[in-house]
Amino acid sequence: MPESTDTALTQIASRTDGARIVLDRVSKVYPGQDAPAVEEFSMVAEPGELIMFVGPSGCGKTTTMKMINRIIEPSSGSITIDGRDILSLDPSELRRHIGYVIQQIGLFPHMTIAENIAVVPKLLGWSKQRTAERIDELLQTVQLDPGTFAHRYPRQLSGGQQQRVGVARALAANPPVMLMDEPFGATDPITREKLQAEFLRLQESIGKTIIFVTHDFDEAIKLGDRIAVLSERSQIEQFDTPAAILAEPANAYVRSFIGHGAALKRLALIPVETAVLGAASAAVDHHRIATDDSLRDALDLLIVTGAPAIGVVDRSGSLVGSLTVERISTALGADATALAATRSDEGRPA
Amino acid sequence: MTVSTATTAISTASAARRTDRRIRIARRAATPVIVVLSLGGLLLWLSTLELDSIEQRTLNWDYIALRTGEHLNLTIVASILVAVLAIPTGILLSRTRSRAARGFVLGLANVGQATPAVGVVILLAIIWQTGYTTALVALVIYSFLPVLRNTMIGLEQIDPFVKESALGMGMTSGQVLRRIELPLAVPVILAGLRTSLVFCVGVATIATFINAGGLGDMIVNGLKLQRFPVLVTGAVLVASIALLIDWVASVVEDVLRPKGV
């Protein structure tokens, strides 16, 4: 029934601001292997949500992700995007509506940057002008000057620039869903941090439903709306917001994954403005922190300077209060209490 | 030997990229210059000789043009047949997971190449017939392997992640082959074709033994009748054709190599 496939695809494609993805008891068993690579994986990703799959290598997180665009076919279970069963759609046509970014980037070396980005629009039969406009727009979105980069070849770009093109290429046809497999894994720490920050800003404006695979828990905390901590056979050990996982790891496995310094990682998620500030006059030195910095930055400044208190300034630069180690510690406690409260309010199993 | 032919082909392809442009232009000009000089030298030397009637029957423009035409015809038709047969076979083989099929076809192609060329030509003539078609078939059998092997290697050396991202973006496997794999394999496939073209020029001299013409006629006549000028002319012509064809192929390789690779 090609017609129903078409309508299903049109419907998925029209949800450019993110679609709901539902995986229901999805399993993958490779022939000749006793244990399944993925066993009975169930999860719901809400529209616009950025979900991180974290787990050690070989736990099946990538396999799980690749079943969503059917690079790997599930052995059993069902996957729906926006209510449409994707296993009944043509895999190639389905993939044109799912952005796909991999660690190795996989740009086509014999095509220019513009041609690389134009691949999916071309497959979808876009007009030349519409494609050209989109290429310009996307290169600007990923902060590459179209005039400089559009007609270069991939090997003339640095790793970080190539990965930006990889992201732009995946976004080309404005797909509602993006799958990202350790996209920043191969870049150096500085480039990586920059790409992460840019990516967060980008996601704020595009609001795709994103499944993002990483083995780096810190990256998961930094980027994710929710994190699924996975173990062997892609079993979900915990699926919750970064703050909740840090505050209340479900079990020893999750705790081991968080590693040391959970409190510090939580502080990094709490902005200075949520803390109860002390009197502005307490900040005797000239050390200042902004309200939209994190409490971790504040603590860092306190330790580095050795000052008993540091000043807090708002966006306009005027002093609004001060912070001490005690106040940061209180804020962390309050954060945990608030988290527990929302948890019991919701009253639904995590 | 066959594996090393293919790997050299790859390494020359990548080495060529690095070579300085100017050196490449100088090297590019070298072959035609050498060919022109040796043909000019040959002509000059022949013009100083008093040719007897036997030599005159061979060393005239009509005869030489005829034999050269036959030789080129054999070489080029055989190479086209090899390209048409071996490239699709290579594509099919690189896409099959069956090891038995790969082993069988590669083994067969290996036998064709490992048997001495004279053997292939004469054996075919004995069991089948003499003449042009037989020579053509023998040439195709003999030069099949480089193209087959290079097609397979060319397709297999492509970064698997490039193929994965092409599939992941929604290309069908046919589109991946046409738009991604084949363009990226072009340099290696062409290197194989170039090797087989040069093989063909050399082996086509043997066609004379089964009455299929070519410059081999001049060489063998020169030897049998002990006419040194005839022998030398035939040999120099074959060598010049081989050099020129190799040269043309290298130019084509440069033109068709995908940009950015």
Side-chain angles (χ1 to χ4, degrees):
Chain A
M1 285 178 292
E3 203 180 56
S4 76
T5 302
D6 273 1
T7 39
L9 279 169
T10 326
Q11 183 172 346
I12 291 174
S14 67
R15 297 295 303 265
T16 51
D17 54 344
R20 183 184 163 97
I21 307 173
V22 181
L23 290 96
D24 186 26
R25 282 169 293 135
V26 175
S27 297
K28 176 68 192 180
V29 188
Y30 284 105
Q33 280 180 9
D34 295 335
V38 175
E39 192 173 15
E40 304 262 303
F41 185 95
S42 298
M43 169 178 282
V44 176
E46 298 300 338
E49 220 180 358
L50 174 42
I51 289 186
M52 311 292 291
F53 286 4
V54 196
S57 16
C59 73
K61 55 187 192 302
T62 303
T63 309
T64 309
M65 187 200 78
K66 285 183 180 174
M67 287 194 279
I68 299 174
N69 67 353
R70 294 175 65 189
I71 289 282
I72 295 173
E73 291 285 347
S75 310
S76 64
S78 84
I79 302 173
T80 62
I81 295 180
D82 209 31
R84 298 299 178 150
D85 175 18
I86 61 153
L87 297 176
S88 67
L89 304 177
D90 175 75
S92 296
E93 289 186 30
L94 167 75
R95 291 178 195 138
R96 292 169 197 172
H97 302 289
I98 299 180
Y100 189 51
V101 184
I102 55 177
Q103 181 182 347
Q104 300 79 3
I105 314 176
L107 292 183
F108 306 134
H110 59 305
M111 295 185 188
T112 62
I113 301 309
E115 287 166 343
N116 264 284
I117 297 175
V119 167
V120 179
K122 223 181 206 171
L123 289 171
L124 293 173
W126 286 22
S127 73
K128 269 194 180 153
Q129 198 198 341
R130 185 178 172 203
T131 309
E133 281 166 8
R134 183 70 180 149
I135 291 167
D136 257 33
E137 183 188 336
L138 278 169
L139 281 175
Q140 272 157 9
T141 313
V142 297
Q143 312 204 334
L144 293 172
D145 173 40
T148 318
F149 290 98
H151 300 293
R152 291 205 184 160
Y153 286 95
R155 74 182 169 95
Q156 298 168 303
L157 269 59
S158 72
Q161 289 167 337
Q162 287 190 20
Q163 195 50 280
R164 286 198 182 100
V165 176
V167 173
R169 184 174 71 166
L171 284 170
N174 211 357
V177 174
M178 297 265 283
L179 304 178
M180 307 183 81
D181 186 6
E182 305 212 20
F184 311 134
T187 45
D188 63 89
I190 296 171
T191 312
R192 185 175 203 185
E193 205 151 295
K194 218 174 141 202
L195 287 172
Q196 288 171 341
E198 277 174 25
F199 175 67
L200 263 186
R201 223 177 307 129
L202 181 66
Q203 167 64 357
E204 263 172 40
S205 62
I206 57 177
K208 306 287 180 196
T209 309
I210 300 176
I211 305 291
F212 190 122
V213 167
T214 181
H215 63 256
D216 178 354
F217 193 74
D218 292 317
E219 181 171 67
I221 297 171
K222 196 168 169 185
L223 302 179
D225 292 326
R226 282 198 288 170
I227 301 175
V229 183
L230 306 178
S231 61
E232 289 285 286
R233 289 167 288 119
S234 207
Q235 296 299 293
I236 301 178
E237 297 293 333
Q238 190 169 10
F239 183 35
D240 215 324
T241 61
I245 289 180
L246 286 172
E248 271 181 80
N251 53 36
Y253 180 84
V254 178
R255 218 167 292 129
S256 76
F257 226 88
I258 297 171
H260 297 293
L264 278 176
K265 287 172 187 173
R266 277 170 61 204
L267 281 180
L269 296 171
I270 310 174
V272 166
E273 56 196 348
T274 55
V276 182
L277 303 179
S281 55
V284 282
D285 294 322
H286 294 292
H287 307 299
R288 298 286 180 265
I289 192 100
T291 47
D292 49 358
D293 281 335
S294 74
L295 283 179
R296 184 179 179 152
D297 298 326
L299 184 63
D300 190 69
L301 190 64
L302 277 167
I303 293 167
V304 168
T305 59
I310 52 168
V312 177
V313 292
D314 64 11
R315 250 167 229 150
S316 62
S318 54
L319 197 63
V320 290
S322 67
L323 265 183
T324 59
V325 175
E326 285 99 306
R327 284 184 186 279
I328 292 174
S329 165
T330 314
L332 188 65
D335 184 65
T337 322
L339 209 63
T342 48
R343 201 121 295 253
S344 57
D345 278 356
E346 281 168 2
R348 61 176 166 114
Chain B
M1 173 249 164
T2 46
V3 181
S4 71
T5 317
T7 31
T8 350
I10 296 173
S11 63
T12 35
S14 63
R17 269 201 312 246
R18 291 189 292 269
T19 330
D20 185 35
R21 212 182 132 75
R22 251 184 309 173
I23 296 177
R24 246 170 49 205
I25 292 170
R27 276 173 54 191
R28 170 75 20 96
T31 307
V33 168
I34 291 172
V35 169
V36 167
L37 284 180
S38 36
L39 288 179
L42 178 70
L43 207 62
L44 226 85
W45 174 62
L46 287 178
S47 64
T48 60
L49 297 179
E50 289 265 333
L51 298 178
D52 63 23
S53 66
I54 294 174
E55 286 165 343
Q56 275 169 6
R57 212 170 300 151
T58 311
L59 293 178
N60 63 69
W61 291 114
D62 288 345
Y63 183 88
I64 288 177
L66 176 73
R67 292 289 171 252
T68 308
E70 282 171 352
H71 204 95
L72 280 176
N73 180 313
L74 265 178
T75 304
I76 289 166
V77 174
S79 296
I80 290 172
L81 281 176
V82 165
V84 169
L85 295 172
I87 294 175
T89 313
I91 292 171
L92 282 177
L93 276 193
S94 74
R95 288 176 113 62
T96 169
R97 296 234 174 94
S98 152
R99 281 206 179 164
R102 297 175 66 127
F104 179 73
V105 177
L106 273 177
L108 215 63
N110 252 324
V111 169
Q113 175 134 67
T115 319
V118 182
V120 177
V121 172
I122 306 242
L123 276 176
L124 259 183
I126 291 172
I127 58 173
W128 189 23
Q129 61 181 40
T130 54
Y132 176 81
T133 321
T134 311
L136 199 60
V137 172
L139 277 181
V140 170
I141 292 175
Y142 190 70
S143 51
F144 196 78
L145 187 69
V147 180
L148 176 72
R149 192 130 222 168
N150 274 34
T151 305
M152 292 172 68
I153 289 171
L155 290 173
E156 278 156 21
Q157 47 121 35
I158 296 169
D159 183 354
F161 295 111
V162 167
K163 285 187 266 185
E164 187 187 321
S165 71
L167 271 182
M169 292 169 73
M171 288 192 193
T172 61
S173 62
Q175 286 168 330
V176 177
L177 179 69
R178 285 193 306 278
R179 299 190 190 177
I180 309 293
E181 295 181 85
L182 282 180
L184 288 175
V186 154
V188 184
I189 296 176
L190 280 181
L193 258 177
R194 184 174 163 188
T195 309
S196 93
L197 261 168
V198 175
F199 273 1
C200 279
V201 177
V203 175
T205 50
I206 294 167
T208 179
F209 293 131
I210 57 167
N211 196 26
L215 289 166
D217 280 10
M218 289 183 80
I219 296 175
V220 173
N221 281 344
L223 276 171
K224 277 197 295 211
L225 306 173
Q226 298 195 11
R227 291 298 186 279
F228 194 60
V230 177
L231 169 65
V232 170
T233 308
V236 170
L237 279 176
V238 170
S240 298
I241 290 174
L243 280 172
L244 275 182
I245 279 192
D246 184 61
W247 179 77
V248 171
S250 77
V251 174
V252 172
E253 258 181 54
D254 271 9
V255 173
L256 291 188
R257 176 177 302 131
K259 292 192 186 80
V261 176

